[in-house]
């Protein structure tokens, strides 16, 4: 098992590889990225393809892979004349070189339009390109390399700080309510080490809960006991990736499908209303659910939040229960200060086959079967729906700020004012 989603090195040779998350949890295989985007007949595997094809995913990780892909392509262009010629770069003319690089970066941004982190990172690189004090391609390369490496380090530290701030909000909320005993949390999508430089955003908060607020470590009359990750469409990132990370970290959890939360929550929080009391006896934990913690691909100026499809319905459920707080967790790079509300967020739609088919590992004798030719885990694609049917498959939805209790960033946790408004 591996929780390292991105491997980048600048010496002795520049290289970028990513964990192929389409094959997790069956096997840990890395793919080499050597360009920004595909181009005509040039054979490469690009950052654009890695992001568009969801080989890598998670808004912070997408940003980092995109920025490192720019570094990798620049290095190859500056050191391989045939490659630079094939991609239409003119390294003898600095202005023409910059123009071509900007065109390639604009292509890259289109690989994931909903996630603002990628655009934010790329736009910062475009600002470096526009800096008139940089006059050579080698100096430009050095600046973009330094920026990208620092971005990676900053993202990791921001993840730790998000965990700390989320933990503090949860402690203060439960103290204010005089809550006692165990509690559970719910999450959707994957927001951990596989979606970031490491540790995670929403899953980073859950990691902090397990480390500092478990029954064995807490100094308070309440403690974290259990996590409920949703399976998460598309590509079942909750069942494949979040479950993988929770198991790796030994955090207690029970996987549920995306259409189970309301029934689960009502049984945990209102057991007296149900005749079927045996339902609770089948669960690993009966701790009431107090927090729904989600990540985000874009948070706009008023606090509306775009995240994996299914997030909006969880916010609606939380509104029905006064005791459940809905938390959005994301680094500052996820905030889009130029967009007023969620109505203007572009929602990406995924291919139909991602809903009608499933890719999984072949099982023999209760073990992953191995392909005799490649030595890899044997994967099989199976169709689960009739042929030639209409499919609607949005990758994200928008949760209005009215449904959100707290936004956690690396700077602080933010709650709404007396008028119900966030000030980001």
């Amino acid at each position: 098992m591996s929780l390292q989603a991105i491997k980048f090195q600048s010496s002795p040779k520049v290289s970028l590889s990513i964990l192929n998350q389409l094959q997790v949890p069956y096997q840990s295989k890395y793919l080499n990225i050597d360009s920004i985007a595909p181009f005509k007949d040039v054979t490469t595997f690009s950052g654009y393809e890695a992001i568009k094809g969801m080989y890598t995913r998670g808004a912070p990780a997408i940003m980092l892979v995109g920025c490192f892909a720019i570094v990798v392509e620049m290095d190859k262009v500056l050191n391989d004349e045939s490659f630079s010629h094939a991609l239409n770069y003119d390294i003898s003319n600095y202005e023409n070189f910059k123009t071509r690089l900007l065109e390639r970066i604009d292509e890259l941004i289109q690989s994931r339009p909903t996630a603002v982190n990628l655009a934010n990172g790329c736009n910062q690189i475009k600002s470096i390109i526009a800096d008139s004090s940089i006059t050579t391609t080698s100096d430009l390369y050095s600046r973009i390399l330094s920026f990208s490496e620092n971005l990676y380090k900053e993202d990791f530290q921001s993840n730790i700080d998000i965990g700390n701030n989320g933990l503090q909000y949860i402690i203060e909320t439960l103290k204010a309510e005089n809550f006692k005993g165990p509690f559970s949390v719910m999450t959707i999508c994957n927001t951990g080490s596989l979606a970031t430089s490491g540790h995670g955003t929403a899953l980073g908060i859950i990691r902090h809960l397990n480390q500092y607020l478990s029954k064995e470590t807490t100094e308070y009359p309440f403690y974290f006991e259990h996590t409920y990750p949703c399976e998460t469409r598309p590509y079942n990132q909750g069942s494949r990736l979040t479950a993988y990370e929770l198991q790796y970290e030994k955090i207690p959890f029970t996987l549920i499908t995306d259409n189970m939360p309301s029934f689960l929550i009502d049984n945990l929080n209102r057991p007296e209303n149900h005749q079927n009391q045996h339902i609770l006896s089948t669960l690993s934990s009966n701790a009431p659910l107090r927090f729904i913690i989600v990540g985000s691909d874009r948070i706009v100026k008023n606090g509306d939040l775009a995240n994996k499809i299914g997030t909006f319905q969880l916010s609606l459920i939380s509104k029905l229960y006064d005791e459940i707080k809905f938390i959005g967790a994301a680094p500052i790079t996820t905030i889009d200060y130029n967009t007023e509300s969620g109505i203007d967020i572009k929602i990406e739609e995924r291919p139909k086959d991602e809903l009608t088919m499933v890719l999984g590992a072949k099982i023999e004798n209760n073990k992953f079967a191995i392909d005799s030719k490649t030595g890899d885990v044997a994967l099989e694609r199976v169709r689960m729906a009739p042929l030639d049917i209409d499919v609607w498959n949005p990758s994200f939805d928008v949760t209005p700020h009215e449904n959100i209790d707290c936004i956690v960033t690396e700077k602080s946790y933010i709650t709404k004012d007396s008028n119900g408004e966030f000030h980001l």
Side-chain angles (χ1 to χ4, degrees):
M1 299 180 75
S2 173
L3 292 186
Q4 186 175 4
I6 303 166
K7 292 182 177 180
F8 174 80
Q9 65 176 32
S10 57
S11 64
K13 182 180 179 181
V14 173
S15 67
L16 170 64
S17 60
I18 60 166
L19 182 66
N20 182 352
Q21 296 191 31
L22 297 183
Q23 294 187 336
V24 174
Y26 322 119
Q27 59 191 1
S28 297
K29 287 281 190 175
Y30 285 84
L31 300 171
N32 294 323
I33 293 176
D34 53 10
S35 64
I36 293 172
F39 184 69
K40 294 183 179 178
D41 297 325
V42 182
T43 303
T44 65
F45 183 65
S46 66
Y48 180 99
E49 292 166 291
I51 296 168
K52 186 72 174 178
M54 296 185 78
Y55 295 92
T56 191
R57 19 76 44 223
I62 287 169
M63 172 186 66
L64 296 169
V65 169
C67 291
F68 281 138
I70 295 170
V71 173
V72 170
E73 178 163 304
M74 287 185 71
D75 174 74
K76 200 165 182 179
V77 165
L78 294 176
N79 293 289
D80 186 337
E81 187 176 346
S82 62
F83 188 80
S84 64
H85 180 73
L87 293 183
N88 285 351
Y89 279 94
D90 182 0
I91 60 175
S92 65
N93 186 309
Y94 183 54
E95 292 302 319
N96 288 350
F97 176 86
K98 291 196 297 182
T99 298
R100 179 58 179 150
L101 182 58
L102 289 170
E103 290 173 353
R104 298 282 285 168
I105 292 172
D106 285 338
E107 286 183 67
L108 177 64
I109 292 172
Q110 295 308 308
S111 63
R112 185 55 54 84
T114 304
V116 74
N117 307 59
L118 175 63
N120 282 344
C122 287
N123 286 334
Q124 286 180 275
I125 289 179
K126 289 167 76 171
S127 296
I128 295 172
I129 296 171
D131 187 342
S132 59
S133 68
I134 305 173
T135 58
T136 67
T137 53
S138 59
D139 286 346
L140 180 63
Y141 169 78
S142 296
R143 282 281 299 276
I144 293 176
L145 169 63
S146 178
F147 165 80
S148 300
E149 289 183 319
N150 287 334
L151 199 64
Y152 186 94
K153 296 172 186 175
E154 291 166 3
D155 181 73
F156 185 81
Q157 184 58 52
S158 77
N159 281 210
I160 302 298
D161 294 339
I162 286 170
N164 285 327
N165 292 332
L167 174 68
Q168 195 60 39
Y169 169 74
I170 288 172
I171 288 173
E172 293 182 9
T173 298
L174 295 177
K175 283 172 63 178
E177 296 174 358
N178 199 30
F179 180 82
K180 293 180 174 61
F183 68 92
S184 60
V185 302
M186 183 175 291
T187 191
I188 190 168
C189 192
N190 174 254
T191 56
S193 295
L194 298 176
T196 63
S197 59
H199 196 72
T201 54
L203 204 54
I205 295 176
I206 294 172
R207 279 197 171 91
H208 267 64
L209 290 176
N210 188 61
Q211 184 174 356
Y212 300 111
L213 210 61
S214 68
K215 190 173 184 179
E216 293 74 26
T217 60
T218 185
E219 60 185 73
Y220 303 99
F222 46 79
Y223 59 92
F224 162 74
E225 186 171 89
H226 211 73
T227 305
Y228 294 96
C230 298
E231 63 173 346
T232 321
R233 285 288 182 168
Y235 265 141
N236 301 98
Q237 292 168 24
S239 58
R240 291 192 306 106
L241 306 180
T242 302
Y244 178 89
E245 292 203 43
L246 291 169
Q247 184 182 45
Y248 184 95
E249 297 285 350
K250 296 181 173 57
I251 298 173
F253 76 97
T254 300
L255 179 69
I256 62 172
T257 66
D258 288 12
N259 56 359
M260 292 179 183
S262 56
F263 187 56
L264 171 67
I265 290 171
D266 208 58
N267 271 280
L268 292 175
N269 291 30
R270 303 285 188 275
E272 67 278 3
N273 294 343
H274 296 272
Q275 297 298 318
N276 298 321
Q277 294 293 317
H278 71 277
I279 290 289
L280 289 178
S281 67
T282 64
L283 294 171
S284 300
S285 168
N286 294 338
L289 194 130
R290 298 304 308 268
F291 301 93
I292 296 175
I293 311 172
V294 305
S296 177
D297 287 78
R298 184 183 296 248
I299 300 174
V300 295
K301 196 172 180 180
N302 71 344
D304 293 351
L305 178 155
N307 193 50
K308 190 59 61 186
I309 189 73
T311 304
F312 175 41
Q313 69 183 12
L314 292 184
S315 77
L316 293 174
I317 295 169
S318 73
K319 292 282 283 185
L320 297 175
Y321 299 85
D322 292 337
E323 72 273 21
I324 297 179
K325 302 300 182 187
F326 189 92
I327 303 171
I332 294 293
T333 53
T334 303
I335 301 178
D336 175 4
Y337 296 103
N338 297 315
T339 302
E340 293 294 329
S341 72
I343 197 170
D344 295 316
I345 297 176
K346 181 179 180 180
I347 298 297
E348 175 188 346
E349 292 195 31
R350 301 295 302 168
K352 295 180 179 180
D353 283 351
E354 290 180 11
L355 186 59
T356 60
M357 303 179 73
V358 63
L359 178 68
K362 185 178 179 180
I363 296 293
E364 292 179 351
N365 299 321
N366 203 34
K367 294 181 179 180
F368 291 139
I370 303 299
D371 188 307
S372 59
K373 293 181 179 180
T374 65
D376 295 337
V377 172
L379 302 180
E380 293 184 338
R381 189 177 296 277
V382 180
R383 190 172 182 90
M384 304 181 297
L387 296 170
D388 302 320
I389 62 171
D390 187 35
V391 171
W392 184 56
N393 193 21
S395 191
F396 306 92
D397 58 28
V398 177
T399 298
H401 66 279
E402 292 89 349
N403 293 4
I404 302 170
D405 294 289
C406 179
I407 293 174
V408 181
T409 74
E410 69 270 33
K411 301 296 184 184
S412 64
Y413 69 78
I414 306 160
T415 55
K416 290 178 283 193
D417 64 17
S418 58
N419 295 318
E421 301 295 330
F422 283 109
H423 298 278
L424 301 182

